[in-house]
Structure formats: C-alpha cells, structure tokens
Amino acid sequence: MVPIPSAELRTSYSLYSLEFDPEDANRLIVAGGGGPGNHGVGNKITAIDASRPDTLDIVSEIELSRDEDSVATLAVGPRNKDSILLYAGVNSSAEDIAKGKNEHFRVFSLDQPSKAKASSEKPKITELSRTSLFATTEKDTYQRVLRLSAPFPGSAQVGAVATGFSKEPEIALFDVPNMGAATPKLRGNLELVKEAVDIDIVQTGDDSYQLAYCDEYEMRTMNIGNGISEGPKLVFTMPDEAAVTGNARPSFRSVRYLTPDFLLAVANLPKGGGVVLHGFRMPKNDKIHNKLKEKEEEEAKKGNGSADGTVTTDGGPKGTADETVVARKVEEPKARLCISAKLPCSVTRATGLAVRNLSPPASPTAKQGDAQFVIAVTGQDSSITIYTLDHQSVADINLIVNLFKVTTFKNVHNGPISGVAFSYVVPPADSNSDERTVAQKGLVRPEYVKLASIGSVGNSCIVHSLPLKKFVDKTAQTRRGGAPRAARYVLALKSQAPSPKGLLFFTALITLFIGVFVQSFLEIKGYSSPMIGARRFAPVSWQQNPRYGAGQGVVGNANYANSESLNPEGVHGFLASLLADKDLKVQDGQAKKLVLNVGAKDGIVQVSGHDAEVDSTAPTPKEWDELHETQKKAWKEKLKAAGHWGEGMGETIFKNILFGELGAVVGGLVR
C-alpha cells in the first residue's frame, strides 16, 4: 500500500468540532474548550495551516469567555471580501440562560491580512454576531448539530441546526448570508417528536433544497423552496423484527447526502453487534405521483361538499348521499436500500461519519457524472475505517456501486474521536483556460485529500493525507474531433473487495468435520476398513463386529466369521494396531494363522504368525473351541479391557485364531 503521511498537533483545550475551508484545502478550523468555570482550560477557536503533509501549524486563535459553554459545533461559511465567515454553537452563560436568553448561534470572521502585510501579520479571528435560532428556552438545550449545504459559485447556501438535551426538540433552518451581512436569516423552526440524531442538507436546484434528518429508527426528508416548504416525509424506517427474531432494531448514527438522489447512513447494530453502512436511493416526487395526489385532494373536497359528507372506499352507495366519492390513498414513495457494507468486527459502534465527492458538479443543476466518493467512519475503539464508493451515470440512470473498504487506521487518538472531516477537492481542469481560471482564483490542484480527526481526551488533531490520482475511463465513447475523455480524481489507494476466502475456508472446515465424523461412525460400527483408527479411541460398548470380508472393504460379507484365514485387513478393530506391521499375507496359497501369546515377563499379549519362531517350552497354541472355559474368560477380559473386543462382536471372531495358555497371568496390557 502507498505510504500515508500524517501530521499531529496538540492543543491546550479539548476539541469537539472541526471543518475545512471549502476554498482552501490547506486551512483547517478546530474548536472546543473546557466549558464554563475557572478550571484553567479556555474555550477557543483555532485556525490551522495543513499545507504540509507532516506538520500542522497554528496561524490564528481566539479565546472566548470562560463564563460560557465550550464550542460544540462548527461550520465554515462563505467568504466576505478578505474574510471567511465561521459559524459556531456556543451556549450563553448560566446567568443569561436563567433569564431565558441563550444566544447559541455565533458568527465569527477569520480576517486575512493584505498581500503587503501577509509576511508580518497573521490572520485574526473576531466575533461578528450572536443570536438565538431555537424557539425553546430550556436551560439544558444546546446546539448539538450544525450543517450547511455545499457551496456553489453564485448560489446561496441554507443551513440547519438541531437541538440537544431538549424536551421540545426542533430543527431551525436559516439562510446563509451573502456578501456584507453576518447574521443569518431564520427561515423557520421544525418541531420534532424525537430529537434528531443527525441532519444534512443538499441543494437540489437554483433555489431549492432538501433537508434529511433521522432519529434512532426513522429517517425523514423535507423539501425547501423559496418561501415554501413541503414535508416532512417519512422515507425509511428501521425494520422491527423483534417479534420474529427477538433482536432489537439497528439504530441510525449519521446521515450524509452523496447527491440529491442518494444518501449514505451509518447504523449501529444492537448490543454492540457491529456497524453497517447503508446507501439509499432517495424517492422522487414524479409527475404521476403529484397528479394522483392532486386528484385525491379534489375528490376529497367533492366528498366534503356532498349531501351527508359520506365517503366510501369501495365505490358503493351509502346512506342517502346524492354523490359518492371513492377515496384512494396514495402512498408516499420511500427510500430504497441499494447498497450496504459491514465494518470490521473490531468496530462495534460508530461515532462519526465524513464523506467527500472527488468529482463534484460545477453547479446545483449540473448532472452528477461518474465519480468516486471517499468515506470515513470513526469507531468506539478510536479507529477510522476508509471506504470508497463509485457513482455511475448512464443516460438517465444513476447507480452507486463498489462500496469497498480501503484501510483502517487503528488507535488514532488517545481516547474517543470527537470529530472527523475531509478537505474539499477541486476537480482536474478540462482545458488550459480552466487551468488559468484556477490559477487566478488561487486554488491549488490537490495531490491529496486530507482527512482530519480530533480527540477530546488527548486534545489532539491529526491529519492524514490520502493520495489521489487522475483517472480516465478508456471505455467511454468519444466523438471524432470532439473533446477528449474527461479526467477525474480517484483515491490512489487500492480498495479491497469482499473476499470469499473466509467463506471457502469455513465451508471446507465444515466439510472436513462431517467427513471425519461419518468415517469414524462407519469404522466404529464395522462398516469400513480402518483409515483414521477411530475404533482405538471409541468405548467398547460403541463398537460392533466388523461387517466386511477378509481383504475387502465391502459391507455385509456373511463369510467373514467362517473365513479360512485372517489378515490385517480382515481383522479390522480386533488387534488392528498389532497387526498393522505384521507380514501375514498369503504365501503358497496358504494364509498365515494368528497366534496370541502372553509374554512371561511383562504379561503383554503378542501376536505372530503360526510359522513364526516360538518358545519350544511353551504350551502348544489351541483353537478357541479347544480352550478351557477359564482360559476363554481370561482372554475375553484381557481383550475387552484393551478395547479390542466387545460383547457385541461375539465369539465367532476368535475362530481360526490360535491362543496360547494364559496360565497364572492376571492383568497386563494389550497393545
């Protein structure tokens, strides 16, 4: 893998929010603090120079009042001449909140020195205005989430803030002011039933936007126009399968728009079961749906004006009404899950999400072509997992595919990660004129997309520089004499498609286990010749008389007990361990008979062929039927104790085998 450079900076205060400058990928703004009180930790906003991959430098900083809360949220707004507007969420002092005054929305200005003074002066951060956007005046309420729509040249932005710790949750929508003004203009407040876990906003037209927000289990959208709004609409609900599976539902953690057509969400599985990335295709308000809805409203109005106001659902007459209206319910379109991926098992809970389009459109009405998105998900284990996602566009069909993992940064911070953000990317120029325009605006073509993360415990800010490369789709068709194929940026790091190796290994392991189990069963029950020696480890009570013939692997040979000779294959299980290395094969048409004797010193049974050399003083071996009952009983006990014989085998297995006299030998081992 290509080396990934990183740089780290330690601040004097806890960090809770961060954002890159949309027009300068090398400028990072971070904020946080210790909150109200004389504890020695101030509340600050810091501007950082991230132009070098291995070093971070503080270029400007402002310390806020220690009587007020720390900076909880942060966003970078548009430029105002030589200044950059910064929006922050800071609760007022406890004294002001007690009076019902909480000016939580603050506007700051990052003033750039003139070119003549750039070498001697540094940028300066000053506060411009403060106001309250929430209707509630609860003491514990604070500005938990702040989001702005993506900036486009010549287009106004819309922002949204959501409450935290409020008994009356709400989302406030506001217009981001253009040149000159600093205080945002409130559009309105959206009352919620449950507090929003996360929100995002996307521009869908010249003067139209869409807000998406979610609580733990439901996701809703709201269309915003010039002076009008539509919604909110429920577009997705986490399926509740508790009655079927007994498991709790996954819960939403973050949502981010990819394009107006697609939205990415992070969901935490219940009981720390892991994290899943979901890609949704957002519903469209198509003309057919709008016409049906308008017709439904017209018919409903006619129904209300009838003789008795009667409305039926089957079209049949009811009562004495002169006119009957058929009420047809038009179901609102829902978001459809079109792609998903599960994070590594080490990540049991997600804490944040960042997304960056490497080929953003030039205007809100421009069509999004083929592009790659870079995704970062932070986990409870202080890890950051990087994914890539491809957007493909063919005619009027748009798809998102290839949601693949790239890499995971482990133990990034000493403690939980409180924020993560990507720098903005300027697409490659299509011509020399575009290059001159970029140079005039002072924009820099990126070699990297920067990923910044902050930790609240260690007061740390770390920036990873992910390398980019130009990509030209050679499969795209071009016209003779027309423009060449357009280049776009993609991540230079190779993504990893899901590998089937784990599944194949697990399947092979299960197959091997089943094969060993079946072979062991067949050997113990006497249906198969020995291959893994299962009878040596099985209790005698499990074993049965072998059911295959001498020298055969066939089950059910009825002549086994009456065979004229026994060889190692024919005595499977019975003294098999001793016969394995004996040369008892047929010679001159005659098979060697087995002789069992007991050593005089160690009392161990020895197996040999009938023509082998034996002690001349030892008694002559006898057939089983020639043995005394006492000798038979002693031999049975010896063989049973060693696991070579069981009652289920019967005595027929002893025929054609010669037994030596045990005499006074008692006990001993059979091997």
Side-chain angles (χ1 to χ4, degrees):
M1 178 176 289
V2 178
I4 301 175
S6 63
E8 181 175 1
L9 175 69
R10 298 277 179 169
T11 62
S12 60
Y13 60 96
S14 300
L15 299 174
Y16 296 112
S17 55
L18 79 165
E19 188 61 85
F20 277 97
D21 184 352
E23 297 189 24
D24 188 353
N26 296 324
R27 181 179 289 113
L28 173 65
I29 313 297
V30 298
N38 297 320
H39 39 61
V41 180
N43 305 312
K44 299 180 181 181
I45 299 177
T46 305
I48 298 175
D49 178 14
S51 58
R52 291 182 291 177
D54 57 348
T55 305
L56 300 178
D57 298 315
I58 296 177
V59 297
S60 183
E61 191 170 75
I62 181 175
E63 184 167 358
L64 310 179
S65 172
R66 297 196 178 189
D67 295 330
E68 297 181 330
D69 205 353
S70 59
V71 183
T73 56
L74 181 69
V76 180
R79 290 181 180 268
N80 186 358
K81 297 182 180 179
D82 292 332
S83 301
I84 303 172
L85 295 181
L86 308 177
Y87 302 113
V90 183
N91 267 14
S92 298
S93 63
E95 182 179 353
D96 290 340
I97 293 177
K99 296 178 182 178
K101 182 181 180 182
N102 183 10
E103 296 175 319
H104 59 86
F105 192 87
R106 311 292 175 90
V107 181
F108 296 87
S109 175
L110 176 60
D111 302 320
Q112 300 285 351
S114 61
K115 294 183 179 180
K117 299 180 180 180
S119 59
S120 59
E121 294 183 4
K122 292 185 177 182
K124 183 180 180 181
I125 303 176
T126 56
E127 183 175 347
L128 299 181
S129 68
R130 56 176 63 187
T131 186
S132 178
L133 299 179
F134 295 139
T136 181
T137 58
E138 295 180 67
K139 296 181 179 180
D140 296 332
T141 300
Y142 75 104
Q143 185 177 304
R144 182 175 179 270
V145 188
L146 166 61
R147 297 289 297 170
L148 303 180
S149 61
F152 289 102
S155 297
Q157 292 177 263
V158 171
V161 290
T163 57
F165 292 153
S166 177
K167 296 179 182 178
E168 299 176 354
E170 61 180 279
I171 295 176
L173 298 169
F174 62 92
D175 289 319
V176 176
N178 290 326
M179 300 296 182
T183 304
K185 180 181 178 181
L186 182 65
R187 275 183 175 248
N189 297 79
L190 176 63
E191 296 181 356
L192 306 178
V193 177
K194 294 182 179 180
E195 206 159 63
V197 173
D198 198 15
I199 63 175
D200 199 20
I201 190 167
V202 66
Q203 188 168 356
T204 57
D206 289 331
D207 196 18
S208 59
Y209 307 83
Q210 187 176 78
L211 170 73
Y213 65 94
C214 65
D215 56 30
E216 288 185 325
Y217 305 119
E218 295 179 341
M219 181 168 60
R220 289 177 167 82
T221 60
M222 180 177 179
N223 296 322
I224 306 167
N226 187 9
I228 60 173
S229 62
E230 180 186 3
K233 300 176 181 178
L234 177 64
V235 294
F236 187 82
T237 302
M238 280 291 184
D240 187 1
E241 301 178 352
V244 180
T245 63
N247 297 327
R249 289 192 285 179
S251 58
F252 284 115
R253 178 58 185 89
S254 298
V255 291
R256 291 290 183 272
Y257 274 105
L258 301 173
T259 68
D261 295 331
F262 297 100
L263 181 141
L264 189 71
V266 171
N268 290 324
L269 300 179
K271 300 180 181 180
V275 180
V276 180
L277 275 171
H278 290 313
F280 293 97
R281 182 184 292 274
M282 304 305 289
K284 291 185 177 180
N285 293 322
D286 53 71
K287 296 180 180 179
I288 296 177
H289 172 75
N290 290 337
K291 288 182 178 180
L292 287 174
K293 192 171 183 180
E294 290 174 2
K295 190 172 183 179
E296 177 189 356
E297 292 175 353
E298 291 177 0
E299 291 176 342
K301 290 179 181 178
K302 292 180 181 179
N304 291 335
S306 61
D308 61 354
T310 301
V311 179
T312 65
T313 58
D314 57 359
K318 183 176 181 180
T320 58
D322 296 332
E323 183 178 3
T324 300
V325 178
V326 179
R328 292 179 298 176
K329 183 178 179 180
V330 180
E331 184 180 355
E332 295 288 351
K334 302 295 183 182
R336 291 178 292 170
L337 181 64
C338 54
I339 197 168
S340 63
K342 192 175 186 301
L343 268 69
C345 297
S346 59
V347 183
T348 60
R349 183 171 54 86
T351 59
L353 172 67
V355 178
R356 181 59 62 214
N357 186 353
L358 299 183
S359 303
S363 68
T365 57
K367 181 182 177 181
Q368 176 67 66
D370 292 348
Q372 186 180 79
F373 291 84
V374 187
I375 302 162
V377 184
T378 58
Q380 90 298 336
D381 57 347
S382 189
S383 67
I384 303 178
T385 307
I386 308 299
Y387 280 81
T388 56
L389 174 66
D390 294 331
H391 179 277
Q392 297 179 355
S393 179
V394 180
D396 293 332
I397 301 175
N398 297 319
L399 301 172
I400 52 175
V401 295
N402 302 332
L403 180 55
F404 295 154
K405 174 189 167 186
V406 177
T407 187
T408 298
F409 303 128
K410 297 183 178 180
N411 301 319
V412 180
H413 293 269
N414 183 23
I417 298 176
S418 52
V420 62
F422 280 111
S423 63
Y424 287 77
V425 175
V426 180
D430 294 333
S431 63
N432 293 332
S433 60
D434 290 340
E435 288 287 359
R436 288 193 295 268
T437 302
V438 170
Q440 292 173 359
K441 291 183 177 180
L443 301 177
V444 179
R445 295 295 179 191
E447 296 179 0
Y448 302 94
V449 57
K450 300 180 186 299
L451 172 65
S453 59
I454 52 177
S456 57
V457 175
N459 305 344
S460 55
C461 175
I462 298 178
V463 175
H464 291 86
S465 298
L466 307 180
L468 300 176
K469 65 179 181 180
K470 287 186 178 181
F471 173 78
V472 178
D473 186 4
K474 296 182 179 180
T475 62
Q477 296 182 355
T478 58
R479 297 172 58 185
R480 180 176 296 180
R485 297 183 178 93
R488 58 186 175 92
Y489 282 123
V490 296
L491 206 62
L493 306 174
K494 187 177 181 180
S495 59
Q496 306 167 11
S499 174
K501 292 182 180 179
L503 179 61
L504 294 177
F505 176 78
F506 179 76
T507 303
L509 193 64
I510 294 298
T511 304
L512 177 62
F513 175 80
I514 294 175
V516 171
F517 176 80
V518 172
Q519 180 62 28
S520 300
F521 175 81
L522 294 176
E523 290 187 14
I524 292 172
K525 295 301 181 181
Y527 290 102
S528 173
S529 58
M531 296 180 64
I532 59 177
R535 293 177 70 95
R536 290 180 295 173
F537 307 100
V540 176
S541 58
W542 292 9
Q543 301 181 25
Q544 295 183 4
N545 185 18
R547 305 181 184 184
Y548 53 87
Q552 302 180 35
V554 182
V555 175
N557 191 338
N559 298 324
Y560 169 73
N562 299 320
S563 60
E564 295 296 332
S565 63
L566 294 174
N567 57 27
E569 292 82 7
V571 290
H572 167 57
F574 180 59
L575 301 178
S577 60
L578 292 176
L579 297 175
D581 58 350
K582 301 295 182 180
D583 184 16
L584 302 178
K585 297 180 180 179
V586 176
Q587 294 181 355
D588 300 330
Q590 296 281 337
K592 300 178 183 179
K593 288 191 176 183
L594 303 181
V595 180
L596 301 184
N597 281 301
V598 177
K601 296 181 179 180
D602 53 13
I604 298 177
V605 175
Q606 300 174 350
V607 181
S608 62
H610 182 49
D611 59 349
E613 295 183 3
V614 296
D615 188 357
S616 59
T617 61
T620 303
K622 299 179 180 179
E623 296 278 355
W624 178 257
D625 295 336
E626 298 175 354
L627 294 177
H628 192 271
E629 291 298 327
T630 305
Q631 293 286 325
K632 290 182 179 180
K633 184 177 181 181
W635 272 111
K636 287 181 180 179
E637 291 177 356
K638 280 182 171 294
L639 298 175
K640 183 188 297 184
H644 288 273
W645 181 81
E647 296 290 347
M649 296 182 181
E651 296 184 3
T652 55
I653 198 172
F654 299 141
K655 292 184 177 181
N656 299 323
I657 297 178
L658 302 179
F659 293 86
E661 186 176 349
L662 289 178
V665 177
V666 179
L669 298 174
V670 178
R671 65 182 180 185

